[in-house]
C-alpha cells in the first residue's frame, strides 16, 4: 500500500467516511425492504432486471460495502470496509482519466449539495482544465419532485459546474445551497434538454443518488458515491447500468471529502 493510499485509509476511518459510520443498520434494512418492494423512493431511477429480495440485497451490500451479511443483525451502526472504498475510488479515478484523455463532455450533479458540492466541484475544475466540456443543460428550468411534504417545484441550477436543485425564489441562482434529493428527475431533465439542443451529450455522468441511477438507466456511463442505505447504485453496478459505486458515508462534514478529491485527481493524473 502506497503512502498516499495508507494516509487516505487512515482519514476514511478517522472521519468516519468508512469503518463504523453514522448510518444505522435500521435505516439500511428499511431501504433494502423498500427496494425489494420496488418502492420508487429507493429505486431512484433504477429499473432492476433481476428480482432482488432483502437477503439478496444484504449479501450484495456486504460484498460491495462491507456491511454485516447476517440478517439477524438488526440494530446498531453500519460499517464500510475502507479497502472496498479505496478500490472503488481507484476505479472511479480510472474512469475520470479516460474521459480526461479524450477531452470528453461530462455532467456532474448532486443530491447532497451541502455535503458533496466541494468534492464534485473539484472534479469539475480539473476536468475542465483537462479540456472536458463540463455541461450545464437546463439551467434555471423547473422540475417537480414528490417529497414527503407533497409535490414541490424546484429550479435546476449549477454551482462550480455541478448541478443541484434549489427551492424557487428570487436572487438564488449561483449560491452554494440546495436541497437534498434522491430523485432521478433532475438528471432526466438535464439530459433531455441537452438532447433537444442537439448536444453535446455527456460521455460520463458523475454524482450520487438519482443523478447516477437516472443517467445509468438511460444508458449513460455513470459513476458516483453511495452510502450503505443507498442500495440502488450497487444494484446498478451489479447489473451493469452503473460503472462505479463508491461505498462511503455521504453525509459527513463537507471538508472531510477534500482528501478524497485530492486522491482521485492524483490517481487520474489530473492534479493541478
Amino acid at each position: 500500500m502506497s503512502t498516499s493510499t495508507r494516509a487516505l485509509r487512515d482519514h476514511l476511518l478517522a472521519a468516519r467516511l468508512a469503518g463504523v459510520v453514522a448510518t444505522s443498520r435500521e435505516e439500511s434494512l428499511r431501504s433494502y425492504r423498500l427496494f425489494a418492494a420496488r418502492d420508487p423512493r429507493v429505486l431512484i431511477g433504477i429499473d432492476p432486471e433481476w428480482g432482488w429480495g432483502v437477503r439478496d440485497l444484504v449479501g450484495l451490500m456486504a460484498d460491495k460495502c462491507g456491511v454485516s451479511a447476517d440478517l439477524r443483525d438488526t440494530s446498531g451502526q453500519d460499517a464500510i470496509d475502507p479497502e472496498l472504498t479505496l478500490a472503488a475510488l481507484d476505479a472511479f479515478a480510472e474512469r475520470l482519466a479516460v474521459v480526461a484523455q479524450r477531452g470528453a463532455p461530462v455532467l456532474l450533479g448532486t443530491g447532497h449539495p451541502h455535503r458533496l458540492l466541494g468534492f464534485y466541484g473539484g472534479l469539475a475544475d480539473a476536468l475542465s482544465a483537462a479540456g472536458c466540456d463540463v455541461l450545464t443543460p437546463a439551467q434555471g428550468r423547473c422540475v417537480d419532485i414528490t417529497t414527503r411534504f407533497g409535490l414541490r417545484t424546484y429550479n435546476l441550477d449549477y454551482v462550480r459546474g455541478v448541478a443541484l436543485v434549489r427551492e424557487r425564489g428570487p436572487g438564488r441562482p449561483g449560491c452554494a445551497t440546495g436541497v437534498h434529493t434522491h430523485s432521478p428527475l433532475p438528471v432526466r431533465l438535464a439530459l433531455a434538454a441537452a438532447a433537444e439542443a442537439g448536444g453535446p451529450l455527456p460521455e460520463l455522468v458523475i454524482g450520487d443518488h438519482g443523478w447516477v441511477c437516472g443517467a445509468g438507466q438511460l444508458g449513460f456511463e455513470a459513476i458516483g458515491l453511495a452510502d450503505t442505505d443507498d442500495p440502488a447504485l450497487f444494484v446498478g453496478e451489479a447489473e451493469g447500468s452503473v460503472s462505479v459505486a463508491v461505498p462511503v458515508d455521504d453525509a459527513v462534514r463537507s471538508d472531510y471529502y477534500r482528501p478524497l478529491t485530492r486522491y482521485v485527481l492524483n490517481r487520474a493524473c489530473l492534479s493541478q
Side-chain angles (χ1 to χ4, degrees):
M1 183 182 292
S2 68
T3 301
S4 62
T5 302
R6 188 177 301 110
L8 182 61
R9 186 184 188 281
D10 291 343
H11 172 73
L12 291 171
L13 294 172
R16 294 187 66 183
L17 288 154
V20 177
V21 295
T23 309
S24 71
R25 180 69 166 179
E26 293 93 333
E27 289 177 81
S28 294
L29 289 174
R30 177 178 179 273
S31 291
Y32 306 160
R33 287 192 295 269
L34 291 172
F35 191 98
R38 300 294 180 107
D39 189 311
R41 294 172 297 175
V42 182
L43 295 178
I44 56 177
I46 287 287
D47 183 13
E49 296 179 8
W50 308 340
W52 292 90
V54 173
R55 183 178 298 277
D56 304 313
L57 290 164
V58 170
L60 175 72
M61 299 301 283
D63 290 340
K64 295 286 189 179
C65 300
V67 304
S68 172
D70 191 343
L71 285 168
R72 294 170 295 183
D73 290 340
T74 58
S75 62
Q77 302 308 118
D78 262 335
I80 295 175
D81 184 342
E83 303 300 333
L84 294 175
T85 303
L86 291 168
L89 285 171
D90 288 345
F92 186 103
E94 287 176 11
R95 302 316 305 153
L96 292 184
V98 169
V99 296
Q101 289 163 7
R102 292 167 49 83
V106 295
L107 176 66
L108 298 95
T110 181
H112 265 296
H114 296 88
R115 307 295 185 182
L116 293 170
L117 181 61
F119 173 77
Y120 298 119
L123 303 184
D125 291 343
L127 289 167
S128 179
C132 294
D133 189 359
V134 178
L135 305 178
T136 58
Q139 182 158 15
R141 295 268 293 275
C142 296
V143 56
D144 294 329
I145 299 175
T146 300
T147 73
R148 59 181 173 168
F149 306 110
L151 190 67
R152 294 287 187 269
T153 300
Y154 299 105
N155 286 341
L156 180 63
D157 196 17
Y158 291 83
V159 178
R160 294 182 61 191
V162 183
L164 51 83
V165 294
R166 64 174 84 258
E167 294 180 355
R168 302 178 72 187
R172 302 298 295 275
C175 65
T177 58
V179 300
H180 174 228
T181 180
H182 286 224
S183 176
L185 297 178
V187 75
R188 291 175 186 167
L189 173 66
L191 292 170
E196 289 165 6
L201 295 173
E203 291 196 19
L204 182 67
V205 177
I206 305 162
D208 47 60
H209 294 167
W211 285 92
V212 175
C213 294
Q217 185 63 39
L218 292 174
F220 292 87
E221 183 176 9
I223 63 176
L225 310 183
D227 209 331
T228 58
D229 60 348
D230 291 328
L233 281 85
F234 299 101
V235 168
E237 187 179 40
E239 293 189 345
S241 59
V242 171
S243 287
V244 180
V246 179
V248 68
D249 190 313
D250 61 9
V252 303
R253 282 174 34 179
S254 58
D255 56 312
Y256 287 171
Y257 297 96
R258 290 176 190 160
L260 278 69
T261 305
R262 290 194 295 268
Y263 179 84
V264 165
L265 294 181
N266 281 333
R267 300 288 288 190
C269 300
L270 288 171
S271 297
Q272 300 178 51

